[in-house]
């Protein structure tokens, strides 16, 4: 008997099957396997006339993949690693974002776009894809190098900037030619301060409390001798912290998962968790 609701199974089966097929084709054509995955996503997406999977479910499944990927990256980083590259990653990202945004917005302006559309287009170009960049660096074996550390630090700065941008765009929509209402300077300043406090609160909570709590929890679960419980605890920690960070502090799921991996790295069992 076939269940009435099979959208989740259908989405997974179709996505995995087509990704496998096109990934194999990409490798045979001497391309990155990621190219095949991306083409599979385009074919199954709503912008093509062929078969379309459940887009909402696909987005959520993709977020789980990003969470686990960033958690795994965080397991190989420490706070010291990030601090060592701050003199390059921080000013570099803060300089790159406005420059690329201005160039992208200028191109969109030549196309006749509105001010808001130009700004969003430029901002989109200024942010690198975390998944694509990390997968490419893993393939090249550069994640453990200084270049890899700088790249990850750069991505974190970009992510933090985009958290602030996503908070500011809605209240500024009216000024940018959108349908939203304008807000006062006081309200805008309060939104910025609240966002900065939330981000600082999350990072502080993870580095002060999380670095002690989660390794302690992992150690006690490992003492049970159950591999299933250990694996479950790692996955639950990654997804739980990422979701909680997004819900309570407004940071991205990827950033929340990355810091979850960093605090879990403090455990002597971090290699086993990875």
């Amino acid at each position: 008997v076939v269940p009435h609701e099979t959208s989740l199974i259908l989405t997974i089966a179709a996505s995995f099957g087509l990704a496998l097929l096109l990934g194999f084709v990409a490798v045979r054509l001497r391309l990155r396997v990621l190219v095949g995955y991306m083409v599979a996503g385009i074919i199954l997406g709503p912008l093509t006339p062929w078969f379309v999977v459940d887009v909402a479910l696909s987005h959520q499944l993709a977020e789980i993949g990003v969470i686990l990927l960033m958690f795994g990256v965080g397991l190989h980083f420490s706070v010291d690693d990030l601090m060592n590259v701050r003199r390059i990653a921080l000013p570099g990202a803060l300089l790159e974002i406005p420059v690329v945004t201005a160039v992208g917005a200028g191109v969109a302006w030549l196309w006749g776009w509105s001010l808001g559309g130009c700004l969003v287009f430029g901002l989109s170009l200024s942010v690198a894809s975390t998944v694509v960049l990390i997968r490419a660096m893993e393939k090249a074996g550069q994640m453990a190098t200084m270049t890899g550390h700088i790249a990850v630090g750069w991505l974190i700065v970009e992510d933090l900037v985009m958290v602030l941008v996503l908070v500011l765009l809605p209240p500024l929509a009216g000024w940018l030619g959108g349908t939203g209402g304008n807000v006062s300077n006081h309200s805008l300043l309060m939104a910025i301060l609240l966002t900065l406090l939330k981000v600082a609160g999350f990072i502080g909570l993870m580095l002060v409390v999380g670095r002690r709590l989660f390794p302690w929890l992992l150690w006690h679960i490992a003492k049970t001798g159950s591999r299933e419980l250990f694996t479950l605890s790692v996955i639950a920690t990654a997804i739980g912290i990422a979701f909680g960070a997004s819900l309570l502090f407004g940071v991205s799921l990827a950033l929340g998962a990355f810091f979850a991996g960093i605090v879990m790295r403090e455990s002597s069992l971090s290699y086993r968790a990875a």
Side-chain angles (χ1 to χ4, degrees):
V1 180
V2 179
H4 294 294
E5 294 293 338
T6 59
S7 58
L8 175 60
I9 299 175
L10 178 62
T11 298
I12 294 176
S15 301
F16 282 7
L18 191 58
L20 172 63
L21 175 62
L22 295 184
F24 177 76
V25 172
V27 171
R28 294 302 298 267
L29 294 175
R30 301 185 182 277
L31 300 174
R32 300 275 181 162
V33 67
L34 193 61
V35 174
Y37 296 163
M38 294 175 68
V39 174
I42 294 173
I43 292 176
L44 295 177
L47 300 180
T48 53
W50 301 288
F51 172 74
V52 178
V53 298
D54 190 318
V55 177
L57 280 177
S58 297
H59 287 169
Q60 294 186 53
L61 291 171
E63 289 287 7
I64 293 176
V66 172
I67 288 171
L68 296 179
L69 173 67
M70 292 304 296
F71 179 75
V73 172
L75 281 171
H76 295 90
F77 274 79
S78 67
V79 177
D80 292 337
D81 292 331
L82 295 178
M83 295 302 293
N84 289 337
V85 300
R86 70 185 187 279
R87 298 182 184 277
I88 300 176
L90 182 59
L94 293 180
L95 177 63
E96 172 258 337
I97 291 174
V99 170
V100 177
T101 298
V103 173
V107 172
W109 182 262
L110 295 177
W111 294 341
W113 289 21
S114 66
L115 176 60
C118 293
L119 181 60
V120 172
F121 179 74
L123 286 169
S124 300
L125 293 180
S126 71
V127 182
S129 170
T130 301
V131 175
V132 174
L133 180 57
I134 288 180
R135 290 293 294 158
M137 297 195 71
E138 284 181 339
K139 186 71 174 179
Q142 295 183 336
M143 283 303 298
T145 65
M146 179 58 68
T147 301
H149 291 180
I150 293 173
V152 172
W154 199 297
L155 288 171
I156 292 174
V157 177
E158 287 185 346
D159 207 333
L160 292 173
V161 171
M162 286 305 111
V163 169
L164 187 60
V165 167
L166 291 175
V167 171
L168 295 179
L169 280 179
L172 292 176
W175 290 331
L176 297 175
T179 56
N182 297 329
V183 296
S184 64
N185 292 334
H186 179 264
S187 299
L188 193 61
L189 180 61
M190 290 301 296
I192 295 174
L193 290 177
L194 181 60
T195 301
L196 294 177
L197 286 175
K198 283 184 176 181
V199 172
F202 166 70
I203 296 177
L205 184 65
M206 294 300 295
L207 296 183
V208 175
V209 179
R211 292 175 74 178
R212 294 173 173 81
L213 175 62
F214 294 108
W216 173 86
L217 178 63
L218 194 65
W219 182 76
H220 278 280
I221 292 176
K223 285 178 61 178
T224 65
S226 173
R227 292 187 62 184
E228 293 180 8
L229 282 179
F230 185 84
T231 303
L232 181 59
S233 68
V234 173
I235 296 175
T237 299
I239 297 179
I241 292 178
F243 180 72
S246 177
L247 183 66
L248 300 176
F249 297 96
V251 302
S252 67
L253 293 170
L255 187 63
F258 178 76
F259 275 95
I262 284 184
V263 299
M264 194 66 81
R265 188 184 188 276
E266 300 299 318
S267 170
S268 58
L269 299 168
S270 61
Y271 181 79
R272 179 179 168 188

